[in-house]
Amino acid sequence: MVRTRGGKDNWVLPPDAGVPLGDDGVQLKEEEGETAATVMAAAAVAAPRVEIAVDFDKSLLDCPLCSLPLKPPVFQCPAKHVACGPCAESQANKCPACDGAYERDEGADRYLLAVRVPCPNQAYGCGSSLVYCMVSDHRLVCPHAPCRCPEPGCGFLGPPPALRGHLAECHQWQVTDIAYGSVLEVQMQALEQGRRLLAAEDGERLFLLVASERGVKVVRVSAAAEEEGPAASWYRCKVWVHAPVDTDTGHMDVVMLDAKGSCAVPSEEAAMGAGGRCLSVPSVVPAPEGGGIVLRLRIDKEVKASRSPRPRG
Ligand SMILES: [Zn+2]
Ligand SMILES: [Zn+2]
Ligand SMILES: [Zn+2]
Ligand SMILES: [Zn+2]
């Protein structure tokens, strides 16, 4: 069953949509396992772009079957009904509107890859210009994706550096500056006391240290699931307490945590729900003068050696 749009039975590309835009002689790769990334790579060698701003009917850029942005490789039947790759596959390569067999539509690929939009986080400082059908990929890694203030009743949204300022100024959160690779000693009044915002030396990254009955955890405060680009980093976090030496093993309790978990809202609940492990603090840890607990932590930043290509999703 094909969803109807604007009263039409189904949706077709305009008759001239298959005409390649421009004349740069780029041949799109046509092989099994072709992905948007390989098509993008082929298009990247195109002649210099001349860009104009246009208003465009968004529905022409989305798959009529699943409503997601049409991403190369695009398919169409002889009656010009289009479908995205996953939909063509799920329909056994047969158009549900007319039963025609789907074929690749390189012309549509070409123009879809030429449609660029500003990042949806432009208002939060992202200046990226994105191929429309790749916006969702960028969203996963956009460093300007806004994080939400966890204070009840406050609707503030902002990228991590702005959130840091907001929490410190508007909600009197304690913010501790950290230098990568240096040991930080944090005294919390009680283990259940909650949280400490840690601001990294680069001025960009925020981490949240939370302590609760469930244990201690450090997560990155970010609405982006991972980082992108040649300088993409991961963070290794070591958190420990000076517990009495175990008389049997001679070991102190030290736990290594990967700060790979991230949460878009710096709250205890979100942090505990994020990926990564928790350090459970043994009850025998001696309290410092004045009570509470002293945690020691060190965050190391390491640049990813290489990045495996993201599987098409
Ligand atoms: Zn689709
Ligand atoms: Zn059809
Ligand atoms: Zn962005
Ligand atoms: Zn707030």
Side-chain angles (χ1 to χ4, degrees):
M1 180 61 199
V2 174
R3 250 171 274 188
T4 59
R5 280 172 191 274
K8 285 189 281 180
D9 284 334
N10 40 51
W11 177 75
V12 297
L13 276 176
D16 57 348
V19 178
L21 297 179
D23 185 27
D24 48 28
V26 171
Q27 292 284 314
L28 294 177
K29 285 182 193 166
E30 199 175 351
E31 58 196 21
E32 281 212 290
E34 179 180 62
T35 65
T38 60
V39 179
M40 291 281 292
V45 294
R49 297 167 63 94
V50 176
E51 300 200 344
I52 54 166
V54 291
D55 287 328
F56 210 88
D57 179 357
K58 182 179 172 300
S59 70
L60 294 178
L61 301 173
D62 295 337
C63 170
L65 301 179
C66 67
S67 300
L68 293 173
L70 278 168
K71 207 181 229 184
V74 170
F75 293 81
Q76 73 171 2
C77 72
K80 308 281 186 205
H81 303 126
V82 298
C84 70
C87 283
E89 198 183 324
S90 72
Q91 299 291 335
N93 223 35
K94 255 192 176 175
C95 173
C98 68
D99 254 5
Y102 281 129
E103 284 185 17
R104 285 279 286 105
D105 182 359
E106 288 91 352
D109 289 356
R110 292 284 299 278
Y111 94 89
L112 287 169
L113 292 174
V115 177
R116 286 180 168 268
V117 292
C119 172
N121 298 319
Q122 187 181 37
Y124 301 109
C126 185
S128 297
S129 164
L130 309 168
V131 173
Y132 172 75
C133 59
M134 308 297 272
V135 166
S136 60
D137 300 62
H138 172 77
R139 266 197 156 144
L140 290 174
V141 296
C142 177
H144 298 271
C147 298
R148 192 159 51 80
C149 172
E151 292 291 338
C154 179
F156 179 87
L157 274 173
L163 184 65
R164 174 226 165 116
H166 169 81
L167 288 170
E169 282 160 35
C170 300
H171 304 294
Q172 287 74 50
W173 275 42
Q174 239 181 318
V175 182
T176 305
D177 290 306
I178 57 162
Y180 293 123
S182 301
V183 175
L184 180 74
E185 236 179 60
V186 180
Q187 180 169 357
M188 292 195 153
Q189 284 315 303
L191 190 52
E192 309 76 42
Q193 191 205 6
R195 60 185 186 213
R196 185 73 63 94
L197 202 58
L198 309 172
E201 57 188 318
D202 51 26
E204 298 281 326
R205 308 289 180 295
L206 276 186
F207 297 87
L208 181 70
L209 166 69
V210 288
S212 74
E213 298 94 343
R214 286 182 278 180
V216 175
K217 194 167 175 180
V218 176
V219 294
R220 195 158 63 92
V221 179
S222 171
E226 52 183 290
E227 297 202 354
E228 183 183 48
S233 310
W234 60 279
Y235 303 89
R236 185 201 283 157
C237 180
K238 186 178 167 183
V239 179
W240 69 102
V241 289
H242 281 190
V245 174
D246 185 310
T247 45
D248 290 336
T249 65
H251 289 147
M252 281 198 325
D253 193 63
V254 172
V255 166
M256 198 78 129
L257 301 168
D258 249 347
K260 66 180 175 190
S262 62
C263 58
V265 182
S267 68
E268 182 198 322
E269 197 189 344
M272 286 299 175
R277 285 192 302 156
C278 212
L279 164 65
S280 56
V281 177
S283 56
V284 290
V285 172
E289 207 176 316
I293 186 171
V294 175
L295 299 168
R296 288 172 177 82
L297 67 95
R298 195 185 78 208
I299 297 178
D300 294 304
K301 175 183 180 177
E302 304 195 14
V303 174
K304 284 178 188 169
S306 66
R307 197 179 140 80
S308 52
R310 176 194 298 281
R312 186 157 183 265

